[in-house]
Amino acid sequence: MTVMTHAEALVAAIRECMDEDENVALVWGSLMGVGGNNDHVEHIKADFADRIFHPPISEAAIAAIATGAAMDGVRTIFPMGTASFMFRAWDQIIHEAGAAHYMSNGAVSIPAVFHVVHGLRGGGSVQHSQSPQSMLWNAPGIEIAMPSCPADAKGLMRTAIKSNNPTVFIDHQKLNKRSGEVPAGAYDIPFGVADIKRVGADVTIVATSLQVVHALEAAETLSAVGIEAEIVDLRSLVPLDEEAILTSVGKTGRLLVVDEAPPRCSVASEVVATVAEKGMDLLKAPPVRLNRLPVHVPANVALEDFVGPNTDRIVEAAKTLCG
Amino acid sequence: MTVMTHAEALVAAIRECMDEDENVALVWGSLMGVGGNNDHVEHIKADFADRIFHPPISEAAIAAIATGAAMDGVRTIFPMGTASFMFRAWDQIIHEAGAAHYMSNGAVSIPAVFHVVHGLRGGGSVQHSQSPQSMLWNAPGIEIAMPSCPADAKGLMRTAIKSNNPTVFIDHQKLNKRSGEVPAGAYDIPFGVADIKRVGADVTIVATSLQVVHALEAAETLSAVGIEAEIVDLRSLVPLDEEAILTSVGKTGRLLVVDEAPPRCSVASEVVATVAEKGMDLLKAPPVRLNRLPVHVPANVALEDFVGPNTDRIVEAAKTLCG
Amino acid sequence: MDKARLLDIFRHMILIRRFEEAVYDFHEQKLFGGHYHLYIGQEATGAAVMASLGAEDRIFSTHRNHGHLIARGVDPKNALAEILNRADGTNGGRGGTFHIADASVGMPHTSALVGGSVPLAAGAGFAAKLKKSGGIGVSMFGDGCFEEGVVFETLNLARMWELPVIFVCENNTPGAVLKSAGGNNTSNLPEGRVIQIPEALGMECHKVDGGDAEAVDVLFADCAARVRATGQPIFIEALTERWPGNYFSFPSMVTGVTQVSMAWDGGSISGEHQEWFLNHDPVLRFARQLLVSGVANFGDIVGIDVEVTETIKAAKEFAQSSPLPGTDSVYAHVLAGEG
Amino acid sequence: MDKARLLDIFRHMILIRRFEEAVYDFHEQKLFGGHYHLYIGQEATGAAVMASLGAEDRIFSTHRNHGHLIARGVDPKNALAEILNRADGTNGGRGGTFHIADASVGMPHTSALVGGSVPLAAGAGFAAKLKKSGGIGVSMFGDGCFEEGVVFETLNLARMWELPVIFVCENNTPGAVLKSAGGNNTSNLPEGRVIQIPEALGMECHKVDGGDAEAVDVLFADCAARVRATGQPIFIEALTERWPGNYFSFPSMVTGVTQVSMAWDGGSISGEHQEWFLNHDPVLRFARQLLVSGVANFGDIVGIDVEVTETIKAAKEFAQSSPLPGTDSVYAHVLAGEG
Ligand SMILES: Cc1ncc(C[n+]2csc(CCOP(=O)(O)OP(=O)(O)O)c2C)c(N)n1
Ligand SMILES: Cc1ncc(C[n+]2csc(CCOP(=O)(O)OP(=O)(O)O)c2C)c(N)n1
Ligand SMILES: [Mg+2]
Ligand SMILES: [Mg+2]
């Protein structure tokens, strides 16, 4: 075990995979988003110069180039920066990357990684705060990974690079500088295996990305008032670990889903709908969604915080649910 | 009342609005999608030549031009053709059209209409069969209309054109040639008012667009075996008539939602989640989603039919739910 | 002048023509649904381009893909089966006319979205560069693609990243019947503004008569060799007079089934489309060239035609007797498994 | 030579400079979060462009929008309040630096997505054409926008639909400090390949020294008049030497607070950025021009500076004392009500 930041863990995974496989290429954009985490990548730039491509501001074409190259087995990691920019490449990701394997009846596959930084970053305002996970999940053929801590970031990134599917790797600006223990050596974390980040008997909190951090904070407060929350970190949406969700709800009888996307057709909607369909009799109370409010993200950091799900709101919602 | 096709009703609405308001402009693309319904528009082209713009294949720029023009009060109707093509303009629709009113604190508004033809059209294959409604619904600031019959098409299109919000008007290729009674004269159908297309006491079927037609057919078969379905045609997703859904479920105690988008984070997920949250105690049985299967759309028409929700499957699902 | 090579190009051209006639026939018989596009009138470009490409090269096409696939060597049997959405189709029947692809011949994916495959071809160049495979990426696309911004982005990227790619724009707007009628199946760029765009980016650019197989072959062979040597992208605008049957969405066989004898029997040409038969039909044009230059005699031409006609006849039978994929098959290949 | 006009342009330039210094100061004080961009070094272009525009015209800007807004006449008080996300901001505090807009002065929306506002400006031209308002659309944008395909699409559309729009590309790549270091805050088009692109589409194009206020004014006035008369779009590439403080995301005031006396007191200029002060700082350049041509004397320059410095001082106080919007305000204006 060593202690690393989220950003360092991510870069370590990329570094390892570039060492292990000469077919891994990196489009050198702003992997860590804005804010100075790019230093971590200097050694990669130095050692793999011929596999590093400096991008123009052309999200659509680069996403499709990564897709075309993937058809010949090149595994391109394309960090698109702020998740909002991904909408410029929406067609290419959904209709080409996400569909080629199916359309070819399995003859080609698309091992490309699209890395984005989602969510409420502290001043991103309307056009730099997107959480695209819900929209992406509606499209077949795309794997979606969402780490919440350095150890998961590393293991999931390794899996993303090695996966033969297009993977959208959704990070959060506010996770980048957080530290955590990371196992020594190379290890992969398979997609589709949720992690119970905290065990508890009273309420199941399903979360992803930064909201897992918020949920863990909230759990401490809740514990003080006698509510033990079980925290299910999905880690990947595609594939989804439905069993982990249902098992936990079976135990607690109460479901709260926390999600940074706006409520309609969100990840929270999907988890609640899945449990309603497959485990309604497990529920002692109606399930609760906790989303970003159904508005755009205002520039002001205080209002941004008000708009997003946050620790206080999780506490409040869990109390109401258990009360 | 006169009998019109869906396509004719739509054109009638556009014609009326162009007559009524000289600030209505039409980008003359393929309003009715592929398949010969474009004749209906010849008279508009002749009478309003200076308000008709022939488009190049530039979905993104045109969507944004319509948005920019809307800021000066020009109401542009931009038929983008097959809904799949809309992904080329995803950023412009979500981040500019859908956000400008909010970002300006209400100073500007975006009265633009983006018309698309969604769904399983009979041979559209992977890239011409998109149902974008779920993804769109996750974005704040955009109205979404989905008519199921000529009368609604006309009244909803008039409302879309007059609305001060960007509206995505989602039509279905298979509705175009269907006929129905249309009230005489000009009339608007407000958004946010679901229509109970059939009254029944045993199961609530919530549907939109072509699936309303399928649900009505299914209801006949179901009636023959003693199950009376109530069919709630949402007509618009934004705003949503939650009350109509909850009222109907309160009556029937059973909910089936039919939706042509793939299941994850779909319209069906949203409706089920809403009912689970706000009306779980109304339900006598777990709610059921009936979506397009979670796969891409194969070219073959028989397989396409198998993949989509259809009349038989609705019958089956309703029977199981009521059984 | 390599006789075998020219005859091979001709063979592919007439094979494409017979293939497309078969597709039209299938559609008339309502054996498949949806709209579709034929490559009639553009055979010279596709066939000549493929003559210089090898196993390491990758070609990406569009909604108007049949000719490129046939010229590249995909089996007409499987291509026709795909158009009928049958189990023996190149894509197991799930792609259909829009998406016929065959990775085994280096055509891994066909996008039906305008401009969709242009950056994919650049991606093949990217892969070739990274793997030092010696291959190149080739993008076959229509003039309408220039209206989509992603194509411009791709041209810029190919220059910037020095990708070994040849962009072949088949400009079939000349002669477009529906342009004046407002059809959108053709580009709206200011007249003659196609090649100017890659030129503005400083890319090596060439213009060629896309209806002249030999001219395309000579130019493309040279370009392909240079791209392999330099790794720099090249752009080619192939001007092809639009086939009169190329309507907005559904083609119409207004020029009838091709009689190769029209190449030498001028008397048999008359009617509304006389001018097209005499000056533009690339199959007849090339047949005349081969005859005049002595590469082939009447018998050779007829012989090739008989042979490919047989091939297509057998392919039609194969396609029609191929089973539909079972409904259970729809679940396969949404996600790929482990390597 | 219209003395009042030139002095007015100068006033706006120094007003922008003082405004940006205030923004920098606010950021240093951590009064607002997130990254931001300053218009220092480009004042000549923005101020001169706005001199020929009237109430019917619409201007759309980018992430580097402050200068355009101030030159156009938005009140610095409300602009600064917006940057601090306060209730009295132009957007009620919810837009922030990226999205400052003020419909009341004809700048209805600022997109922070690269190239995002270029088609919106074309939309304003579309509206002007349809309504015969006599106005024009003006798009102010950076060279990086050329890498986004939607900008190319827009240029094509403006030509095709004959929209009264002026596209002003402020190319600040020359002198870019971070270009070699791999920063992406500047374009990667092959050197000098900006104006070539609209030229390739047959658009009327001009290149101008964007650091020379008078040159921009003369050219833009002429273009604006012609666009109004003909309804045809025009493209202008304004080359502006990049300000040394323009880093990737966060600017740095490496050139210090501007002393207008440096315009005439050459002796006060030294150090690392001497070359920029002497040849490129547009504020100092224009001050020197005004002095040399006799339009202004030292006193005039100092007088204007004192006046705008006061304005900005008051604006800072206004902004800082403006309240934060209440949390309840976030719900308003997601959807518009009835007309
Ligand atoms: C993104 C997108 N927009 C629109 C369409 C509809 N469409 C299909 S073919 C076509 C015209 C293409 O013209 P061109 O590229 O010149 O090819 P051609 O048909 O002339 O060979 C259009 C607009 C599409 N397939 N994809
Ligand atoms: C679609 C999109 N991609 C990436 C970014 C990140 N970004 C912000 S500014 C910028 C550079 C813009 O360069 P240019 O247009 O030349 O403007 P300048 O900053 O030089 O004035 C980039 C890449 C963005 N805002 N939007
Ligand atoms: Mg064409
Ligand atoms: Mg720049």
Side-chain angles (χ1 to χ4, degrees), chain D residues 24-25 51 60 72 107 117 125 163 182 188 223 227 243 248 251 280 284 301 305:
Chain D
Y24 182 79
D25 180 49
F60 287 79
R72 174 64 175 178
M107 294 186 70
S117 66
L163 303 179
N188 297 286
C223 289
V227 169
W243 168 52
F248 173 43
H280 300 299
L284 298 182
I301 301 280
D305 185 30

PDB file of all heavy atoms in Angstrom, chain D residues 24-25 51 60 72 107 117 125 163 182 188 223 227 243 248 251 280 284 301 305:
ATOM      1  N   TYR D  24      -8.371  40.734 -12.333  1.00  0.00           N
ATOM      2  CA  TYR D  24      -7.199  40.014 -11.817  1.00  0.00           C
ATOM      3  C   TYR D  24      -7.076  40.201 -10.307  1.00  0.00           C
ATOM      4  O   TYR D  24      -6.844  39.240  -9.560  1.00  0.00           O
ATOM      5  CB  TYR D  24      -5.937  40.513 -12.525  1.00  0.00           C
ATOM      6  CG  TYR D  24      -4.694  39.779 -12.085  1.00  0.00           C
ATOM      7  CD1 TYR D  24      -4.402  38.520 -12.597  1.00  0.00           C
ATOM      8  CD2 TYR D  24      -3.828  40.327 -11.146  1.00  0.00           C
ATOM      9  CE1 TYR D  24      -3.280  37.825 -12.190  1.00  0.00           C
ATOM     10  CE2 TYR D  24      -2.703  39.641 -10.718  1.00  0.00           C
ATOM     11  CZ  TYR D  24      -2.431  38.387 -11.245  1.00  0.00           C
ATOM     12  OH  TYR D  24      -1.325  37.698 -10.832  1.00  0.00           O
ATOM     13  N   ASP D  25      -7.251  41.425  -9.891  1.00  0.00           N
ATOM     14  CA  ASP D  25      -7.165  41.720  -8.463  1.00  0.00           C
ATOM     15  C   ASP D  25      -8.218  40.932  -7.683  1.00  0.00           C
ATOM     16  O   ASP D  25      -7.924  40.332  -6.641  1.00  0.00           O
ATOM     17  CB  ASP D  25      -7.347  43.233  -8.255  1.00  0.00           C
ATOM     18  CG  ASP D  25      -7.279  43.602  -6.790  1.00  0.00           C
ATOM     19  OD1 ASP D  25      -6.318  43.162  -6.118  1.00  0.00           O
ATOM     20  OD2 ASP D  25      -8.192  44.309  -6.314  1.00  0.00           O
ATOM     21  N   ALA D  51     -16.863  50.410 -32.407  1.00  0.00           N
ATOM     22  CA  ALA D  51     -17.070  51.803 -32.811  1.00  0.00           C
ATOM     23  C   ALA D  51     -18.005  51.939 -34.013  1.00  0.00           C
ATOM     24  O   ALA D  51     -18.618  52.997 -34.210  1.00  0.00           O
ATOM     25  CB  ALA D  51     -15.725  52.463 -33.116  1.00  0.00           C
ATOM     26  N   PHE D  60     -21.568  38.510 -30.489  1.00  0.00           N
ATOM     27  CA  PHE D  60     -21.411  37.288 -29.692  1.00  0.00           C
ATOM     28  C   PHE D  60     -19.938  37.043 -29.418  1.00  0.00           C
ATOM     29  O   PHE D  60     -19.121  37.122 -30.318  1.00  0.00           O
ATOM     30  CB  PHE D  60     -22.006  36.077 -30.425  1.00  0.00           C
ATOM     31  CG  PHE D  60     -23.498  36.092 -30.429  1.00  0.00           C
ATOM     32  CD1 PHE D  60     -24.198  36.898 -31.314  1.00  0.00           C
ATOM     33  CD2 PHE D  60     -24.216  35.318 -29.527  1.00  0.00           C
ATOM     34  CE1 PHE D  60     -25.585  36.919 -31.306  1.00  0.00           C
ATOM     35  CE2 PHE D  60     -25.602  35.327 -29.512  1.00  0.00           C
ATOM     36  CZ  PHE D  60     -26.294  36.135 -30.406  1.00  0.00           C
ATOM     37  N   ARG D  72     -18.498  47.407 -25.913  1.00  0.00           N
ATOM     38  CA  ARG D  72     -19.852  47.549 -26.444  1.00  0.00           C
ATOM     39  C   ARG D  72     -20.713  48.445 -25.548  1.00  0.00           C
ATOM     40  O   ARG D  72     -21.754  48.944 -25.968  1.00  0.00           O
ATOM     41  CB  ARG D  72     -20.485  46.169 -26.571  1.00  0.00           C
ATOM     42  CG  ARG D  72     -21.937  46.124 -26.968  1.00  0.00           C
ATOM     43  CD  ARG D  72     -22.207  46.674 -28.380  1.00  0.00           C
ATOM     44  NE  ARG D  72     -23.605  46.489 -28.745  1.00  0.00           N
ATOM     45  CZ  ARG D  72     -24.154  46.884 -29.872  1.00  0.00           C
ATOM     46  NH1 ARG D  72     -23.440  47.492 -30.799  1.00  0.00           N
ATOM     47  NH2 ARG D  72     -25.429  46.690 -30.107  1.00  0.00           N
ATOM     48  N   MET D 107     -25.826  42.087 -26.702  1.00  0.00           N
ATOM     49  CA  MET D 107     -24.936  40.920 -26.545  1.00  0.00           C
ATOM     50  C   MET D 107     -25.684  39.889 -25.709  1.00  0.00           C
ATOM     51  O   MET D 107     -25.441  39.723 -24.512  1.00  0.00           O
ATOM     52  CB  MET D 107     -23.620  41.338 -25.882  1.00  0.00           C
ATOM     53  CG  MET D 107     -22.815  42.262 -26.778  1.00  0.00           C
ATOM     54  SD  MET D 107     -21.157  42.672 -26.143  1.00  0.00           S
ATOM     55  CE  MET D 107     -20.304  41.103 -26.315  1.00  0.00           C
ATOM     56  N   SER D 117     -20.194  30.249 -29.968  1.00  0.00           N
ATOM     57  CA  SER D 117     -21.000  31.426 -30.291  1.00  0.00           C
ATOM     58  C   SER D 117     -20.894  31.851 -31.752  1.00  0.00           C
ATOM     59  O   SER D 117     -21.627  32.735 -32.180  1.00  0.00           O
ATOM     60  CB  SER D 117     -20.638  32.580 -29.367  1.00  0.00           C
ATOM     61  OG  SER D 117     -19.326  32.995 -29.619  1.00  0.00           O
ATOM     62  N   GLY D 125     -27.516  37.251 -37.634  1.00  0.00           N
ATOM     63  CA  GLY D 125     -27.579  37.711 -39.025  1.00  0.00           C
ATOM     64  C   GLY D 125     -28.827  37.178 -39.719  1.00  0.00           C
ATOM     65  O   GLY D 125     -29.491  37.876 -40.496  1.00  0.00           O
ATOM     66  N   LEU D 163     -25.906  35.594 -45.213  1.00  0.00           N
ATOM     67  CA  LEU D 163     -26.255  36.201 -43.932  1.00  0.00           C
ATOM     68  C   LEU D 163     -25.359  37.409 -43.668  1.00  0.00           C
ATOM     69  O   LEU D 163     -24.146  37.353 -43.877  1.00  0.00           O
ATOM     70  CB  LEU D 163     -26.089  35.182 -42.801  1.00  0.00           C
ATOM     71  CG  LEU D 163     -26.888  33.885 -42.954  1.00  0.00           C
ATOM     72  CD1 LEU D 163     -26.617  32.948 -41.779  1.00  0.00           C
ATOM     73  CD2 LEU D 163     -28.384  34.166 -43.089  1.00  0.00           C
ATOM     74  N   GLY D 182       3.184  22.805 -25.229  1.00  0.00           N
ATOM     75  CA  GLY D 182       2.069  21.886 -25.394  1.00  0.00           C
ATOM     76  C   GLY D 182       0.760  22.392 -24.829  1.00  0.00           C
ATOM     77  O   GLY D 182      -0.211  21.654 -24.728  1.00  0.00           O
ATOM     78  N   ASN D 188      -3.921  24.892 -33.466  1.00  0.00           N
ATOM     79  CA  ASN D 188      -2.926  24.000 -34.036  1.00  0.00           C
ATOM     80  C   ASN D 188      -3.030  23.928 -35.543  1.00  0.00           C
ATOM     81  O   ASN D 188      -2.559  22.992 -36.156  1.00  0.00           O
ATOM     82  CB  ASN D 188      -3.118  22.596 -33.466  1.00  0.00           C
ATOM     83  CG  ASN D 188      -2.894  22.596 -31.975  1.00  0.00           C
ATOM     84  OD1 ASN D 188      -1.768  22.687 -31.520  1.00  0.00           O
ATOM     85  ND2 ASN D 188      -3.977  22.523 -31.220  1.00  0.00           N
ATOM     86  N   CYS D 223     -16.112  47.429 -43.707  1.00  0.00           N
ATOM     87  CA  CYS D 223     -16.757  46.113 -43.827  1.00  0.00           C
ATOM     88  C   CYS D 223     -18.201  46.169 -43.325  1.00  0.00           C
ATOM     89  O   CYS D 223     -19.115  45.606 -43.936  1.00  0.00           O
ATOM     90  CB  CYS D 223     -15.979  45.067 -43.042  1.00  0.00           C
ATOM     91  SG  CYS D 223     -14.394  44.647 -43.787  1.00  0.00           S
ATOM     92  N   VAL D 227     -21.394  45.092 -45.454  1.00  0.00           N
ATOM     93  CA  VAL D 227     -22.282  43.986 -45.077  1.00  0.00           C
ATOM     94  C   VAL D 227     -23.723  44.484 -44.976  1.00  0.00           C
ATOM     95  O   VAL D 227     -24.657  43.825 -45.446  1.00  0.00           O
ATOM     96  CB  VAL D 227     -21.840  43.345 -43.740  1.00  0.00           C
ATOM     97  CG1 VAL D 227     -22.895  42.384 -43.224  1.00  0.00           C
ATOM     98  CG2 VAL D 227     -20.516  42.615 -43.920  1.00  0.00           C
ATOM     99  N   TRP D 243      -0.425  38.482 -25.308  1.00  0.00           N
ATOM    100  CA  TRP D 243       0.036  39.140 -24.077  1.00  0.00           C
ATOM    101  C   TRP D 243       0.836  38.126 -23.255  1.00  0.00           C
ATOM    102  O   TRP D 243       0.383  36.998 -23.054  1.00  0.00           O
ATOM    103  CB  TRP D 243      -1.187  39.643 -23.302  1.00  0.00           C
ATOM    104  CG  TRP D 243      -0.913  40.077 -21.897  1.00  0.00           C
ATOM    105  CD1 TRP D 243       0.041  40.972 -21.489  1.00  0.00           C
ATOM    106  CD2 TRP D 243      -1.601  39.650 -20.711  1.00  0.00           C
ATOM    107  NE1 TRP D 243      -0.016  41.137 -20.128  1.00  0.00           N
ATOM    108  CE2 TRP D 243      -1.016  40.328 -19.617  1.00  0.00           C
ATOM    109  CE3 TRP D 243      -2.663  38.770 -20.470  1.00  0.00           C
ATOM    110  CZ2 TRP D 243      -1.456  40.145 -18.310  1.00  0.00           C
ATOM    111  CZ3 TRP D 243      -3.095  38.576 -19.174  1.00  0.00           C
ATOM    112  CH2 TRP D 243      -2.502  39.266 -18.105  1.00  0.00           C
ATOM    113  N   PHE D 248      -2.146  29.282 -19.882  1.00  0.00           N
ATOM    114  CA  PHE D 248      -3.150  28.282 -20.268  1.00  0.00           C
ATOM    115  C   PHE D 248      -4.547  28.578 -19.694  1.00  0.00           C
ATOM    116  O   PHE D 248      -5.481  28.879 -20.428  1.00  0.00           O
ATOM    117  CB  PHE D 248      -2.661  26.898 -19.862  1.00  0.00           C
ATOM    118  CG  PHE D 248      -3.679  25.826 -20.060  1.00  0.00           C
ATOM    119  CD1 PHE D 248      -4.448  25.795 -21.218  1.00  0.00           C
ATOM    120  CD2 PHE D 248      -3.892  24.854 -19.102  1.00  0.00           C
ATOM    121  CE1 PHE D 248      -5.398  24.809 -21.405  1.00  0.00           C
ATOM    122  CE2 PHE D 248      -4.850  23.884 -19.298  1.00  0.00           C
ATOM    123  CZ  PHE D 248      -5.596  23.864 -20.448  1.00  0.00           C
ATOM    124  N   PRO D 251      -4.515  33.577 -15.992  1.00  0.00           N
ATOM    125  CA  PRO D 251      -3.571  34.602 -16.429  1.00  0.00           C
ATOM    126  C   PRO D 251      -2.670  35.034 -15.282  1.00  0.00           C
ATOM    127  O   PRO D 251      -2.962  34.797 -14.112  1.00  0.00           O
ATOM    128  CB  PRO D 251      -4.476  35.746 -16.884  1.00  0.00           C
ATOM    129  CG  PRO D 251      -5.779  35.509 -16.225  1.00  0.00           C
ATOM    130  CD  PRO D 251      -5.881  34.046 -15.942  1.00  0.00           C
ATOM    131  N   HIS D 280       4.017  46.013 -28.782  1.00  0.00           N
ATOM    132  CA  HIS D 280       2.774  45.256 -28.872  1.00  0.00           C
ATOM    133  C   HIS D 280       1.640  45.714 -27.971  1.00  0.00           C
ATOM    134  O   HIS D 280       0.486  45.540 -28.330  1.00  0.00           O
ATOM    135  CB  HIS D 280       3.054  43.765 -28.637  1.00  0.00           C
ATOM    136  CG  HIS D 280       3.999  43.191 -29.639  1.00  0.00           C
ATOM    137  ND1 HIS D 280       3.712  43.177 -30.982  1.00  0.00           N
ATOM    138  CD2 HIS D 280       5.232  42.642 -29.501  1.00  0.00           C
ATOM    139  CE1 HIS D 280       4.725  42.628 -31.636  1.00  0.00           C
ATOM    140  NE2 HIS D 280       5.668  42.302 -30.774  1.00  0.00           N
ATOM    141  N   LEU D 284      -0.653  51.200 -25.143  1.00  0.00           N
ATOM    142  CA  LEU D 284       0.484  52.117 -25.279  1.00  0.00           C
ATOM    143  C   LEU D 284       0.688  52.511 -26.743  1.00  0.00           C
ATOM    144  O   LEU D 284       0.964  53.668 -27.066  1.00  0.00           O
ATOM    145  CB  LEU D 284       1.757  51.476 -24.713  1.00  0.00           C
ATOM    146  CG  LEU D 284       1.726  51.123 -23.206  1.00  0.00           C
ATOM    147  CD1 LEU D 284       3.068  50.552 -22.768  1.00  0.00           C
ATOM    148  CD2 LEU D 284       1.346  52.343 -22.358  1.00  0.00           C
ATOM    149  N   ILE D 301      -4.596  62.105 -22.432  1.00  0.00           N
ATOM    150  CA  ILE D 301      -4.422  60.675 -22.141  1.00  0.00           C
ATOM    151  C   ILE D 301      -4.553  60.435 -20.628  1.00  0.00           C
ATOM    152  O   ILE D 301      -5.319  59.558 -20.193  1.00  0.00           O
ATOM    153  CB  ILE D 301      -3.016  60.205 -22.598  1.00  0.00           C
ATOM    154  CG1 ILE D 301      -2.830  60.453 -24.106  1.00  0.00           C
ATOM    155  CG2 ILE D 301      -2.770  58.747 -22.216  1.00  0.00           C
ATOM    156  CD1 ILE D 301      -3.448  59.459 -25.015  1.00  0.00           C
ATOM    157  N   ASP D 305      -7.462  58.422 -18.551  1.00  0.00           N
ATOM    158  CA  ASP D 305      -7.083  57.322 -17.657  1.00  0.00           C
ATOM    159  C   ASP D 305      -7.610  57.557 -16.241  1.00  0.00           C
ATOM    160  O   ASP D 305      -8.159  56.637 -15.614  1.00  0.00           O
ATOM    161  CB  ASP D 305      -5.557  57.161 -17.647  1.00  0.00           C
ATOM    162  CG  ASP D 305      -5.125  55.942 -16.832  1.00  0.00           C
ATOM    163  OD1 ASP D 305      -5.893  54.961 -16.779  1.00  0.00           O
ATOM    164  OD2 ASP D 305      -4.023  55.986 -16.249  1.00  0.00           O
TER     165      ASP D 305
END
